[in-house]
Amino acid sequence: MNLKFGTSGLRGLSVDLEGPAAAIYATAFAGTLIASSQAKPGDTVLIGRDFRQSSPQISAICIGALLRAGLKVLDCGTVPTPALALYGLQKHAAALMITGSHIPADRNGIKFYLPDGEIAKEDELAIGAAAAELMASGTPIDATPATAPDHERDVRMLFVARNTAILATGALTGLKIGVYQHSTVARDLFVDVLRHFGADVVPLGRSETFIPVDTEAVSPETIDLLKGWAVEHSLDAIVSADGDGDRPLVSDETGEPLRGDFLGLIAAQFTGAAVAVTPITSNSGIERCDDFTVLRTRVGSPFVIAGMMQALSDGQTGVLGFEANGGVLTATDFSINGTLISSLPTRDSFLPVLAALAKVAQHGQPLSVISASYSLPVALSDRLENFPTETSTALMAYLRGDDANLEAFLSDVGTIAGVSDIDGLRVALIDGRIIHFRPSGNAPEMRCYVEAETESQAKALLEKGLNLLRAWADSCGA
């Protein structure tokens, strides 16, 4: 059993989680809630899930474990993670979301929420330690599945009410928007919300088989689909999300996906944020916008949340966070369209989607024109899948071990001007380009991020970076 906490939640193979492991971690979570006085026996815990084949079984096992731990459970069904989190905040209830987000279908995971929001890294350590203690005790763990009362309709209604208050009535009238439905739990809610604002909505690509869509590294096959649909239906944009609906995917009128950090930038401007907290992997040009103060963190929503909480403790107001994958988090309430939208300090795909589409409607310009007007550096990223964790660990140790090692590794790429070690290694080259190597926190993958002045330069740099990673893996026999 190889389960671990990554950038957002516990992840591992579905076959592991469909057994005692799910019961162990649910029991450990219940124990840490009670031990920390964040819940008491009889309190309510929520549980939701995505559309993966393994998710219903894992959910049922967790329900059984939580009930045996003395808690009351409400089954919130197949809903977006931000919808489950919002419902938890309203009820002041802890929650579990069964999802592997964007990773392949043979893997799954659990995201944990406290009554006041997403868990922090220290909470992950506590849950992990409690799980390890349960496994070490030798006491058999009961993994008998169970059921709980269905609250899916209430969760959906609350989330729709929140999102239909963000724009004015009819704000998207005249826009023709595609919704790439695939297997995201956000698929029907996107259709409902966009139609509420007057958009002509075209549902596309619905699948009953789980499709892993990574909004931070959109596959060429997905881009081909988006481009084909954009032309076929004469669309102004296509919107979608990852499996659990917390990361947005937005393509312009040509079907070209927009960067998630650009969507975060749009959302920050849309809300009038004073502070934006974002990971080191987000576009370096964001600081040039001068609309808000930018604070940089490591990759992962717990780090962004910690950054937002620090900003609040420093007396800042109007605090928002976003990740390079486009998920937007709000640490404070915002007045939008004359309505107070309550804080939701977990990744949300709906706010950035609505902010981007509102900009199209307000300015009467295509998304491609709006995007180009920001003159951000061209930023690209990709990943090598099935890149063993031990191989990426060895690479990062080698590159960090000696400046000469990093210089030699990048000798065919360019001359180093500076290095950031916040998360992975982000290298600024003397000609202004940026290349960044970072092991994934969720899967055996190695990611490469690049920035350059032109798309051709960025593509060339990305290919060089990926080739360097492939060569390293080959030398290690991976």
Side-chain angles (χ1 to χ4, degrees):
M1 183 172 66
N2 184 21
L3 302 174
K4 67 175 185 176
F5 283 95
T7 53
S8 181
L10 183 76
R11 298 288 169 84
L13 292 172
S14 299
V15 293
D16 289 336
L17 281 166
E18 286 181 289
I24 289 170
Y25 276 91
T27 303
F29 182 49
T32 57
L33 285 172
I34 293 171
S36 61
S37 299
Q38 295 182 86
K40 61 183 184 300
D43 279 357
T44 295
V45 176
L46 314 177
I47 191 161
R49 62 185 181 275
D50 66 16
F51 283 126
R52 290 167 193 269
Q53 184 178 358
S54 60
S55 291
Q57 177 70 3
I58 297 169
S59 176
I61 291 171
C62 288
I63 289 172
L66 293 168
L67 291 172
R68 287 186 289 275
L71 298 170
K72 176 183 176 182
V73 184
L74 300 181
D75 186 350
C76 297
T78 48
V79 296
T81 295
L84 179 70
L86 182 67
Y87 196 61
L89 289 172
Q90 186 196 61
K91 286 191 162 295
H92 197 64
L96 293 82
M97 179 70 183
I98 311 303
T99 180
S101 186
H102 63 284
I103 60 178
D106 66 337
R107 299 174 183 275
N108 212 325
I110 306 174
K111 294 181 179 179
F112 299 92
Y113 285 81
L114 302 174
D116 59 356
E118 192 171 330
I119 63 172
K121 283 297 177 183
E122 53 266 31
D123 300 308
E124 291 180 357
L125 293 175
I127 296 167
E133 186 175 335
L134 286 170
M135 287 184 278
S137 71
T139 304
I141 299 296
D142 188 348
T144 305
T147 60
D150 182 0
H151 274 242
E152 181 171 344
R153 182 175 178 272
D154 292 345
V155 177
R156 288 176 173 269
M157 286 179 61
L158 179 66
F159 195 59
V160 168
R162 172 189 179 84
N163 285 289
T164 52
I166 289 177
L167 303 179
T169 302
L172 303 182
T173 300
L175 296 185
K176 190 175 186 182
I177 310 298
V179 174
Y180 177 28
Q181 295 196 302
H182 63 94
S183 52
T184 175
V185 287
R187 59 192 183 187
D188 294 324
L189 292 175
F190 267 133
V191 172
D192 293 344
V193 170
L194 295 178
R195 283 179 175 163
H196 170 84
F197 290 122
D200 179 4
V201 179
V202 182
L204 301 162
R206 191 181 185 93
S207 174
E208 299 310 313
T209 302
F210 186 81
I211 299 172
V213 173
D214 187 347
T215 65
E216 195 173 358
V218 185
S219 69
E221 295 79 11
T222 299
I223 294 175
D224 287 344
L225 284 175
L226 298 173
K227 287 183 176 292
W229 288 328
V231 173
E232 179 184 356
H233 298 284
S234 300
L235 300 172
D236 292 296
I238 301 174
V239 305
S240 188
D242 63 343
D244 67 318
D246 68 347
R247 304 178 179 197
L249 173 60
V250 178
S251 75
D252 64 21
E253 74 285 357
T254 72
E256 183 66 31
L258 301 177
R259 287 270 306 182
D261 44 15
F262 173 68
L263 296 175
L265 166 58
I266 294 293
Q269 292 177 326
F270 174 77
T271 58
V275 177
V277 181
T278 193
I280 189 66
T281 51
S282 292
N283 196 296
S284 64
I286 290 169
E287 276 86 349
R288 298 203 304 262
C289 293
D290 291 333
D291 292 311
F292 41 77
T293 300
V294 179
L295 304 178
R296 296 281 180 166
T297 71
R298 292 178 62 186
V299 175
S301 54
F303 297 110
V304 174
I305 292 169
M308 294 194 303
M309 295 304 105
Q310 183 61 52
L312 291 179
S313 68
D314 291 341
Q316 301 284 356
T317 58
V319 180
L320 170 148
F322 62 86
E323 298 190 79
N325 56 46
V328 171
L329 314 86
T330 51
T332 55
D333 299 343
F334 285 93
S335 180
I336 305 174
N337 185 36
T339 301
L340 193 67
I341 305 299
S342 62
S343 65
L344 183 57
T346 196
R347 281 191 305 236
D348 174 27
S349 62
F350 279 69
L351 176 57
V353 164
L354 293 175
L357 296 180
K359 203 166 187 70
V360 175
Q362 291 167 1
H363 292 265
Q365 294 179 317
L367 264 175
S368 62
V369 174
I370 292 171
S371 176
S373 71
Y374 281 76
S375 299
L376 296 174
V378 176
L380 301 176
S381 65
D382 204 347
R383 70 188 191 275
L384 295 183
E385 298 179 283
N386 302 312
F387 199 99
T389 301
E390 57 270 22
T391 303
S392 60
T393 299
L395 172 61
M396 300 312 292
Y398 170 75
L399 296 179
R400 289 185 171 116
D402 193 304
D403 290 345
N405 292 347
L406 183 59
E407 291 171 1
F409 190 73
L410 295 175
S411 60
D412 292 334
V413 175
T415 303
I416 298 172
V419 178
S420 169
D421 202 10
I422 290 178
D423 197 344
L425 283 173
R426 190 172 180 86
V427 180
L429 302 173
I430 200 166
D431 60 6
R433 295 176 300 156
I434 292 174
I435 186 164
H436 183 174
F437 301 110
R438 176 184 160 270
S440 172
N442 290 328
E445 300 173 351
M446 191 71 183
R447 291 183 179 268
C448 181
Y449 311 81
V450 301
E451 288 187 19
E453 186 176 349
T454 68
E455 185 169 358
S456 62
Q457 290 174 342
K459 286 182 176 179
L461 183 57
L462 181 60
E463 187 57 32
K464 284 185 177 181
L466 294 173
N467 285 337
L468 287 172
L469 295 176
R470 291 187 186 100
W472 175 270
D474 290 343
S475 72
C476 294

